[in-house]
Amino acid sequence: PSIVMWSTGNEIPQKTGRGDGYYIASKIASKIRSLDTSRPVTHALCSLWDNGEEYEREKAENDFPPSKMDYFALATAPTADTTDIIGYNYLEYRLEKDLERFPGRVIINTETFPLCAYTTIKQLLANPRIAGDYVWTAWDYFGETAIGHVEYYEKKGEFAWQYPYHIANCGDIDVLGARKPQSYYREIAW
C-alpha cells in the first residue's frame, strides 16, 4: 500500500537517448505495466549536467519561450513519453514552460531543494498537472558526503567533501532525529 508509483530510473545519463536510454526505459515501463496496472509509471529527469556538451546547450537555450522547444525538451521527450507522470529533479524553473510545451504532460517534483519549498508549493497548488513535491531527503543519511553542506563561500568542482563532513547534510531531520531549519521553513510554506 505504500507504493504510489513505479520508477524506471533516477537521473539516468542516457535520458536524452544516448545509447538506448529511452528504449530501455520504455521496455522497463512496459514490463511494469504488465505486472501492475493500478499504479502509474514515472522516471526522474534532471539537468543534463552529466554531459558537458549537452549541459552547455541546455543552459544556452534555457530562456526559450514556451512556444519553442529547447534542447532539453527535445532531448528528454522520448524518455518522458514512456511515463504516465514524469519526474523532475531540481527542475522547478522548467515547470511552467514545460506544462505549456507539453499539454498532456503530468509532472511530479521528484527532488527539490529546501530553499525552493515556497515556490514549488505555489506551483503545485496552481496547476493540477503537477502531481506533488518530494525532497531529497527527509531524513539525513551517511553517504553522498556533504551534498547539502552549508558554507559561507562557494567551493567549486567538488561533490563529496572531506572532514569534518561525514553525512549528506541535506535532510530535514538530522541523523539523531532532530528537526533542522529547513523543516520549519517547509512547515511555514505549507
Side-chain angles (χ1 to χ4, degrees):
S2 64
I3 297 171
V4 179
M5 293 175 276
W6 294 108
S7 178
T8 62
N10 179 54
E11 299 186 358
I12 305 296
Q14 296 81 9
K15 63 188 163 285
T16 61
R18 285 192 313 269
D20 290 331
Y22 66 90
Y23 173 75
I24 293 169
S26 173
K27 298 297 276 182
I28 294 170
S30 293
K31 183 62 176 178
I32 290 169
R33 289 181 180 111
S34 76
L35 298 170
D36 183 357
T37 58
S38 69
R39 295 172 180 92
V41 174
T42 189
H43 184 103
L45 299 175
C46 63
S47 175
L48 306 179
W49 55 264
D50 48 12
N51 181 295
E53 185 178 307
E54 289 181 332
Y55 186 54
E56 289 304 315
R57 187 160 176 201
E58 173 190 3
K59 289 191 309 185
E61 297 183 5
N62 195 36
D63 292 330
F64 278 20
S67 59
K68 184 173 181 180
M69 292 290 205
D70 64 351
Y71 181 72
F72 180 90
L74 290 170
T76 59
T79 297
D81 290 346
T82 69
T83 70
D84 302 305
I85 302 172
I86 189 64
Y88 275 27
N89 288 2
Y90 313 106
L91 296 171
E92 63 282 338
Y93 59 92
R94 294 196 60 86
L95 283 173
E96 292 177 26
K97 288 181 181 179
D98 283 0
L99 287 168
E100 192 171 329
R101 284 182 181 119
F102 300 99
R105 184 175 281 185
V106 176
I107 299 173
I108 188 163
N109 286 314
T110 37
E111 291 183 28
T112 59
F113 292 113
L115 186 60
C116 298
Y118 182 69
T119 302
T120 55
I121 290 167
K122 276 184 15 181
Q123 290 172 321
L124 171 68
L125 296 174
N127 195 312
R129 289 178 33 226
I130 301 174
D133 180 51
Y134 294 87
V135 298
W136 188 262
T137 180
W139 202 290
D140 219 340
Y141 57 97
F142 291 93
E144 293 187 305
T145 306
I147 64 167
H149 66 271
V150 179
E151 296 287 335
Y152 291 107
Y153 59 91
E154 186 176 338
K155 199 170 184 179
K156 297 184 182 223
E158 293 191 33
F159 179 71
W161 287 25
Q162 302 299 317
Y163 177 85
Y165 292 104
H166 58 280
I167 60 173
N169 202 47
C170 61
D172 281 10
I173 301 168
D174 71 19
V175 292
L176 299 177
R179 290 180 71 183
K180 291 167 54 179
Q182 64 251 36
S183 72
Y184 294 102
Y185 172 64
R186 196 178 322 285
E187 182 179 29
I188 292 166
W190 272 109

